[in-house]
Amino acid sequence: MPRRPSLRSAIAGVVLSGSEVCVLLPAELAGQFRELVGRCREPESLLREFFLAVVESSFKSLTMIEEELDSIESLLARGHVVRQASIVRVVSNSRTLRRCLSELRYVINASLNRLGRHRISKVVEGLRDDVERLYTVLEHVRDRVALILPLIASYDAERLNRIVTKLTIVSVIFLPLTLIASIYGMNFRFMPGLNDPYAFYITMAVMAAISAALLTYFKVKKWF
């Protein structure tokens, strides 16, 4: 799954004074809004375009979060391993976007109170509805994350159980073989079959038969 960047938030401000509108932007965003300011001839247009740009950026951020969440769900559906860092990044981005939407909703409501029945108030009200829709979709994203987290933990536990089961099967198969090898490794002068020229081949055949029997038993039980 391709790594997607984490969201970064920036603080911007809007000052309404009489018929004037002042937009305060950090240095890293000034270049992006310079073209926007250049094509706005009226204060109302600047305010409208500013809110539209912020809402559009929020929609893009939410789309990025949903796409990453879809990728995680697709990997889980195919039984692939999903790193915890991926879901943590989704949670972090969702929290950042939620914080930005809270601030944006506050600014829009404050602007509506200041504008009153101004002609631009209808546009700002529409943007407020867009922000509320963003909030609703973001809540759905949080619900999806809440469902995915225990699912990832369950897959990790299941994968660990499969590994432990395989190691246990290998240990059980080698246990009787180790016992036979230990018995014939004792330093006794007299031992049955010690001088038999076929004793080695018989012992190896018995060990192979035990291994085959255990493997067949585990296969029938569908333990691996």
Side-chain angles (χ1 to χ4, degrees):
M1 184 177 65
R3 179 181 176 85
R4 292 178 171 82
S6 299
L7 294 182
R8 296 178 58 188
S9 60
I11 299 176
V14 176
V15 179
L16 301 178
S17 176
S19 60
E20 296 182 353
V21 176
C22 179
V23 178
L24 306 177
L25 298 173
E28 60 268 21
L29 296 180
Q32 302 178 20
F33 284 88
R34 186 174 291 112
E35 181 181 354
L36 182 149
V37 174
R39 67 171 181 263
C40 294
R41 301 301 180 184
E42 299 178 356
E44 295 85 357
S45 301
L46 176 60
L47 183 62
R48 181 181 65 251
E49 293 296 330
F50 172 74
F51 282 141
L52 283 173
V54 174
V55 171
E56 182 180 357
S57 176
S58 300
F59 269 112
K60 290 180 180 179
S61 300
L62 183 58
T63 301
M64 185 191 73
I65 294 174
E66 288 187 304
E67 288 177 352
E68 186 166 10
L69 200 56
D70 291 339
S71 300
I72 293 174
E73 290 178 340
S74 178
L75 289 175
L76 289 175
R78 295 197 300 268
H80 294 174
V81 177
V82 176
R83 296 183 177 180
Q84 294 286 347
S86 300
I87 196 67
V88 169
R89 186 167 56 251
V90 171
V91 173
S92 177
N93 290 341
S94 301
R95 188 181 299 114
T96 300
L97 182 57
R98 181 181 177 84
R99 184 171 60 251
C100 293
L101 289 177
S102 298
E103 297 294 336
L104 180 59
R105 182 164 60 178
Y106 172 79
V107 172
I108 288 179
N109 289 332
S111 300
L112 285 174
N113 294 334
R114 180 67 177 81
L115 290 170
R117 295 185 177 181
H118 197 279
R119 58 184 178 179
I120 199 177
S121 60
K122 295 295 184 182
V123 178
V124 179
E125 286 180 359
L127 293 175
R128 182 176 60 181
D129 295 338
D130 291 337
V131 172
E132 294 300 330
R133 283 195 293 271
L134 282 170
Y135 250 105
T136 302
V137 177
L138 190 58
E139 289 298 324
H140 292 164
V141 169
R142 294 181 63 186
D143 293 340
R144 290 172 64 186
V145 171
L147 292 174
I148 288 177
L149 283 175
L151 191 60
I152 292 178
S154 176
Y155 280 175
D156 290 341
E158 182 181 356
R159 187 169 63 254
L160 180 61
N161 288 337
R162 287 199 299 265
I163 294 174
V164 172
T165 300
K166 292 178 180 179
L167 292 176
T168 303
I169 290 174
V170 172
S171 301
V172 170
I173 291 175
F174 277 92
L175 188 61
L177 308 184
T178 304
L179 176 62
I180 295 175
S182 300
I183 292 175
Y184 278 91
M186 296 178 181
N187 294 322
F188 292 139
R189 178 176 298 180
F190 301 102
M191 184 177 292
L194 191 61
N195 296 320
D196 191 337
Y198 300 103
F200 172 77
Y201 303 104
I202 295 174
T203 303
M204 295 300 295
V206 171
M207 295 172 71
I210 293 174
S211 300
L214 289 174
L215 283 173
T216 303
Y217 177 78
F218 294 145
K219 195 72 174 179
V220 171
K221 290 292 185 178
K222 297 181 179 180
W223 288 357
F224 71 97

Short mmCIF file of all heavy atoms in Angstrom, two decimals, residues 131-167:
data_model
loop_
_atom_site.label_atom_id
_atom_site.label_comp_id
_atom_site.label_asym_id
_atom_site.label_seq_id
_atom_site.Cartn_x
_atom_site.Cartn_y
_atom_site.Cartn_z
N VAL A 131 -19.80 22.03 5.51
CA VAL A 131 -18.99 21.66 6.67
C VAL A 131 -19.72 20.62 7.52
O VAL A 131 -19.11 19.67 8.03
CB VAL A 131 -18.65 22.91 7.50
CG1 VAL A 131 -17.97 22.52 8.82
CG2 VAL A 131 -17.74 23.84 6.71
N GLU A 132 -21.03 20.78 7.67
CA GLU A 132 -21.79 19.80 8.45
C GLU A 132 -21.77 18.43 7.77
O GLU A 132 -21.70 17.39 8.44
CB GLU A 132 -23.23 20.28 8.62
CG GLU A 132 -23.37 21.54 9.47
CD GLU A 132 -22.84 21.35 10.87
OE1 GLU A 132 -22.90 20.21 11.39
OE2 GLU A 132 -22.37 22.34 11.46
N ARG A 133 -21.83 18.42 6.44
CA ARG A 133 -21.74 17.15 5.72
C ARG A 133 -20.36 16.52 5.90
O ARG A 133 -20.23 15.30 6.05
CB ARG A 133 -22.04 17.36 4.23
CG ARG A 133 -23.52 17.52 3.92
CD ARG A 133 -23.79 17.36 2.44
NE ARG A 133 -23.19 18.45 1.67
CZ ARG A 133 -23.81 19.59 1.39
NH1 ARG A 133 -25.04 19.79 1.83
NH2 ARG A 133 -23.21 20.52 0.68
N LEU A 134 -19.34 17.36 5.89
CA LEU A 134 -17.99 16.85 6.15
C LEU A 134 -17.91 16.23 7.53
O LEU A 134 -17.29 15.17 7.72
CB LEU A 134 -16.97 17.99 6.02
CG LEU A 134 -16.58 18.41 4.61
CD1 LEU A 134 -15.76 19.70 4.66
CD2 LEU A 134 -15.78 17.32 3.92
N TYR A 135 -18.53 16.88 8.49
CA TYR A 135 -18.55 16.34 9.85
C TYR A 135 -19.22 14.97 9.88
O TYR A 135 -18.75 14.03 10.54
CB TYR A 135 -19.30 17.30 10.77
CG TYR A 135 -18.43 18.00 11.77
CD1 TYR A 135 -18.10 19.34 11.61
CD2 TYR A 135 -17.93 17.33 12.88
CE1 TYR A 135 -17.30 20.00 12.52
CE2 TYR A 135 -17.13 17.98 13.80
CZ TYR A 135 -16.82 19.31 13.62
OH TYR A 135 -16.02 19.95 14.52
N THR A 136 -20.34 14.85 9.17
CA THR A 136 -21.07 13.59 9.16
C THR A 136 -20.24 12.46 8.55
O THR A 136 -20.16 11.35 9.09
CB THR A 136 -22.38 13.74 8.36
OG1 THR A 136 -23.18 14.78 8.95
CG2 THR A 136 -23.17 12.45 8.37
N VAL A 137 -19.60 12.75 7.41
CA VAL A 137 -18.76 11.74 6.77
C VAL A 137 -17.57 11.39 7.65
O VAL A 137 -17.16 10.22 7.75
CB VAL A 137 -18.28 12.24 5.39
CG1 VAL A 137 -17.36 11.22 4.74
CG2 VAL A 137 -19.47 12.50 4.47
N LEU A 138 -17.01 12.40 8.32
CA LEU A 138 -15.87 12.15 9.20
C LEU A 138 -16.26 11.26 10.37
O LEU A 138 -15.46 10.42 10.82
CB LEU A 138 -15.31 13.48 9.70
CG LEU A 138 -13.96 13.43 10.43
CD1 LEU A 138 -12.89 12.80 9.54
CD2 LEU A 138 -13.53 14.82 10.86
N GLU A 139 -17.48 11.40 10.86
CA GLU A 139 -17.96 10.51 11.92
C GLU A 139 -18.06 9.08 11.42
O GLU A 139 -17.76 8.13 12.15
CB GLU A 139 -19.32 11.00 12.43
CG GLU A 139 -19.26 12.29 13.24
CD GLU A 139 -18.42 12.14 14.49
OE1 GLU A 139 -18.46 11.05 15.11
OE2 GLU A 139 -17.73 13.10 14.86
N HIS A 140 -18.50 8.91 10.17
CA HIS A 140 -18.54 7.57 9.59
C HIS A 140 -17.14 6.98 9.47
O HIS A 140 -16.95 5.77 9.68
CB HIS A 140 -19.21 7.62 8.21
CG HIS A 140 -20.66 7.96 8.26
ND1 HIS A 140 -21.38 8.37 7.16
CD2 HIS A 140 -21.55 7.95 9.29
CE1 HIS A 140 -22.63 8.60 7.51
NE2 HIS A 140 -22.76 8.36 8.79
N VAL A 141 -16.17 7.83 9.12
CA VAL A 141 -14.79 7.36 9.04
C VAL A 141 -14.31 6.89 10.41
O VAL A 141 -13.66 5.84 10.54
CB VAL A 141 -13.88 8.48 8.51
CG1 VAL A 141 -12.41 8.11 8.66
CG2 VAL A 141 -14.19 8.77 7.04
N ARG A 142 -14.64 7.63 11.44
CA ARG A 142 -14.25 7.23 12.80
C ARG A 142 -14.90 5.90 13.18
O ARG A 142 -14.27 5.06 13.84
CB ARG A 142 -14.64 8.32 13.80
CG ARG A 142 -13.88 9.63 13.62
CD ARG A 142 -14.29 10.64 14.64
NE ARG A 142 -13.98 10.21 16.00
CZ ARG A 142 -14.35 10.87 17.09
NH1 ARG A 142 -15.05 11.99 16.98
NH2 ARG A 142 -14.02 10.43 18.28
N ASP A 143 -16.15 5.70 12.77
CA ASP A 143 -16.81 4.42 13.05
C ASP A 143 -16.11 3.27 12.33
O ASP A 143 -15.95 2.17 12.89
CB ASP A 143 -18.28 4.49 12.64
CG ASP A 143 -19.09 5.46 13.49
OD1 ASP A 143 -18.63 5.77 14.61
OD2 ASP A 143 -20.15 5.91 13.03
N ARG A 144 -15.70 3.52 11.08
CA ARG A 144 -15.00 2.48 10.33
C ARG A 144 -13.67 2.14 10.98
O ARG A 144 -13.28 0.97 11.07
CB ARG A 144 -14.78 2.94 8.89
CG ARG A 144 -16.05 3.02 8.06
CD ARG A 144 -15.78 3.67 6.72
NE ARG A 144 -14.87 2.86 5.91
CZ ARG A 144 -14.39 3.27 4.73
NH1 ARG A 144 -14.74 4.46 4.25
NH2 ARG A 144 -13.57 2.49 4.04
N VAL A 145 -12.97 3.17 11.45
CA VAL A 145 -11.69 2.93 12.13
C VAL A 145 -11.91 2.12 13.41
O VAL A 145 -11.14 1.21 13.73
CB VAL A 145 -11.00 4.27 12.45
CG1 VAL A 145 -9.79 4.05 13.35
CG2 VAL A 145 -10.57 4.96 11.16
N ALA A 146 -12.99 2.45 14.14
CA ALA A 146 -13.29 1.71 15.37
C ALA A 146 -13.57 0.24 15.09
O ALA A 146 -13.29 -0.63 15.94
CB ALA A 146 -14.48 2.35 16.08
N LEU A 147 -14.11 -0.08 13.91
CA LEU A 147 -14.37 -1.47 13.55
C LEU A 147 -13.10 -2.16 13.04
O LEU A 147 -12.93 -3.38 13.24
CB LEU A 147 -15.46 -1.54 12.47
CG LEU A 147 -16.87 -1.12 12.89
CD1 LEU A 147 -17.79 -1.11 11.69
CD2 LEU A 147 -17.41 -2.05 13.96
N ILE A 148 -12.23 -1.42 12.39
CA ILE A 148 -11.03 -2.02 11.80
C ILE A 148 -10.00 -2.36 12.87
O ILE A 148 -9.30 -3.38 12.77
CB ILE A 148 -10.43 -1.07 10.74
CG1 ILE A 148 -11.33 -1.06 9.50
CG2 ILE A 148 -9.02 -1.48 10.36
CD1 ILE A 148 -10.86 -0.11 8.43
N LEU A 149 -9.87 -1.53 13.90
CA LEU A 149 -8.84 -1.76 14.92
C LEU A 149 -8.94 -3.15 15.56
O LEU A 149 -7.94 -3.88 15.60
CB LEU A 149 -8.92 -0.65 15.98
CG LEU A 149 -8.32 0.70 15.57
CD1 LEU A 149 -8.58 1.74 16.65
CD2 LEU A 149 -6.83 0.56 15.31
N PRO A 150 -10.11 -3.57 16.08
CA PRO A 150 -10.17 -4.93 16.64
C PRO A 150 -10.00 -6.01 15.57
O PRO A 150 -9.53 -7.11 15.87
CB PRO A 150 -11.56 -4.99 17.28
CG PRO A 150 -12.35 -3.92 16.62
CD PRO A 150 -11.38 -2.85 16.28
N LEU A 151 -10.37 -5.69 14.32
CA LEU A 151 -10.20 -6.66 13.24
C LEU A 151 -8.72 -6.91 12.97
O LEU A 151 -8.29 -8.06 12.78
CB LEU A 151 -10.89 -6.15 11.97
CG LEU A 151 -11.03 -7.14 10.82
CD1 LEU A 151 -11.84 -8.35 11.25
CD2 LEU A 151 -11.68 -6.47 9.62
N ILE A 152 -7.92 -5.84 12.98
CA ILE A 152 -6.48 -6.00 12.79
C ILE A 152 -5.88 -6.80 13.94
O ILE A 152 -5.04 -7.69 13.74
CB ILE A 152 -5.81 -4.61 12.68
CG1 ILE A 152 -6.24 -3.92 11.38
CG2 ILE A 152 -4.29 -4.74 12.72
CD1 ILE A 152 -5.66 -2.53 11.22
N ALA A 153 -6.31 -6.49 15.16
CA ALA A 153 -5.82 -7.24 16.32
C ALA A 153 -6.19 -8.71 16.23
O ALA A 153 -5.40 -9.60 16.58
CB ALA A 153 -6.37 -6.63 17.61
N SER A 154 -7.40 -8.99 15.72
CA SER A 154 -7.84 -10.38 15.57
C SER A 154 -7.00 -11.11 14.52
O SER A 154 -6.60 -12.26 14.72
CB SER A 154 -9.31 -10.41 15.17
OG SER A 154 -9.75 -11.73 14.92
N TYR A 155 -6.71 -10.43 13.39
CA TYR A 155 -5.88 -11.04 12.36
C TYR A 155 -4.46 -11.31 12.87
O TYR A 155 -3.87 -12.35 12.58
CB TYR A 155 -5.82 -10.13 11.13
CG TYR A 155 -7.03 -10.22 10.23
CD1 TYR A 155 -7.18 -9.39 9.14
CD2 TYR A 155 -8.04 -11.15 10.47
CE1 TYR A 155 -8.30 -9.46 8.31
CE2 TYR A 155 -9.15 -11.23 9.67
CZ TYR A 155 -9.28 -10.39 8.59
OH TYR A 155 -10.38 -10.48 7.78
N ASP A 156 -3.93 -10.37 13.64
CA ASP A 156 -2.59 -10.57 14.20
C ASP A 156 -2.57 -11.77 15.15
O ASP A 156 -1.63 -12.57 15.14
CB ASP A 156 -2.13 -9.31 14.94
CG ASP A 156 -1.85 -8.16 13.99
OD1 ASP A 156 -1.66 -8.42 12.79
OD2 ASP A 156 -1.82 -6.99 14.44
N ALA A 157 -3.61 -11.88 15.98
CA ALA A 157 -3.68 -13.01 16.91
C ALA A 157 -3.82 -14.33 16.16
O ALA A 157 -3.20 -15.35 16.52
CB ALA A 157 -4.84 -12.82 17.88
N GLU A 158 -4.63 -14.32 15.10
CA GLU A 158 -4.81 -15.55 14.31
C GLU A 158 -3.52 -15.95 13.61
O GLU A 158 -3.17 -17.14 13.57
CB GLU A 158 -5.91 -15.32 13.27
CG GLU A 158 -6.21 -16.55 12.43
CD GLU A 158 -7.28 -16.29 11.39
OE1 GLU A 158 -7.83 -15.17 11.39
OE2 GLU A 158 -7.55 -17.19 10.57
N ARG A 159 -2.79 -14.97 13.07
CA ARG A 159 -1.52 -15.28 12.42
C ARG A 159 -0.51 -15.83 13.43
O ARG A 159 0.23 -16.78 13.14
CB ARG A 159 -0.97 -14.02 11.76
CG ARG A 159 0.27 -14.26 10.92
CD ARG A 159 0.63 -13.05 10.08
NE ARG A 159 0.97 -11.90 10.90
CZ ARG A 159 0.19 -10.85 11.07
NH1 ARG A 159 -0.99 -10.80 10.48
NH2 ARG A 159 0.57 -9.83 11.83
N LEU A 160 -0.49 -15.26 14.62
CA LEU A 160 0.41 -15.75 15.66
C LEU A 160 0.04 -17.17 16.08
O LEU A 160 0.92 -18.02 16.30
CB LEU A 160 0.37 -14.81 16.87
CG LEU A 160 1.27 -15.18 18.05
CD1 LEU A 160 2.73 -15.20 17.63
CD2 LEU A 160 1.06 -14.20 19.20
N ASN A 161 -1.26 -17.46 16.16
CA ASN A 161 -1.71 -18.81 16.52
C ASN A 161 -1.29 -19.83 15.46
O ASN A 161 -0.91 -20.97 15.80
CB ASN A 161 -3.23 -18.82 16.69
CG ASN A 161 -3.67 -18.12 17.96
OD1 ASN A 161 -2.90 -17.99 18.90
ND2 ASN A 161 -4.90 -17.65 17.98
N ARG A 162 -1.36 -19.44 14.19
CA ARG A 162 -0.94 -20.37 13.13
C ARG A 162 0.56 -20.67 13.23
O ARG A 162 0.98 -21.81 13.04
CB ARG A 162 -1.27 -19.77 11.76
CG ARG A 162 -2.75 -19.78 11.42
CD ARG A 162 -2.96 -19.62 9.92
NE ARG A 162 -2.41 -18.36 9.45
CZ ARG A 162 -3.11 -17.24 9.30
NH1 ARG A 162 -4.40 -17.23 9.62
NH2 ARG A 162 -2.55 -16.14 8.85
N ILE A 163 1.34 -19.65 13.54
CA ILE A 163 2.79 -19.86 13.67
C ILE A 163 3.09 -20.78 14.85
O ILE A 163 3.90 -21.71 14.75
CB ILE A 163 3.50 -18.50 13.84
CG1 ILE A 163 3.36 -17.67 12.57
CG2 ILE A 163 4.97 -18.70 14.18
CD1 ILE A 163 3.91 -16.26 12.69
N VAL A 164 2.42 -20.52 15.98
CA VAL A 164 2.64 -21.36 17.16
C VAL A 164 2.20 -22.80 16.90
O VAL A 164 2.85 -23.76 17.34
CB VAL A 164 1.89 -20.76 18.37
CG1 VAL A 164 1.94 -21.71 19.56
CG2 VAL A 164 2.48 -19.41 18.75
N THR A 165 1.10 -22.96 16.16
CA THR A 165 0.61 -24.31 15.84
C THR A 165 1.63 -25.08 15.01
O THR A 165 1.91 -26.26 15.26
CB THR A 165 -0.73 -24.22 15.09
OG1 THR A 165 -1.69 -23.56 15.92
CG2 THR A 165 -1.23 -25.61 14.75
N LYS A 166 2.20 -24.42 14.01
CA LYS A 166 3.20 -25.08 13.16
C LYS A 166 4.44 -25.46 13.97
O LYS A 166 4.99 -26.56 13.81
CB LYS A 166 3.58 -24.18 12.00
CG LYS A 166 2.45 -23.98 10.99
CD LYS A 166 2.86 -23.04 9.88
CE LYS A 166 1.72 -22.85 8.89
NZ LYS A 166 2.08 -21.91 7.79
N LEU A 167 4.88 -24.55 14.83
CA LEU A 167 6.05 -24.87 15.66
C LEU A 167 5.75 -26.03 16.61
O LEU A 167 6.61 -26.89 16.85
CB LEU A 167 6.46 -23.63 16.46
CG LEU A 167 7.04 -22.46 15.65
CD1 LEU A 167 7.32 -21.27 16.56
CD2 LEU A 167 8.31 -22.88 14.93
#
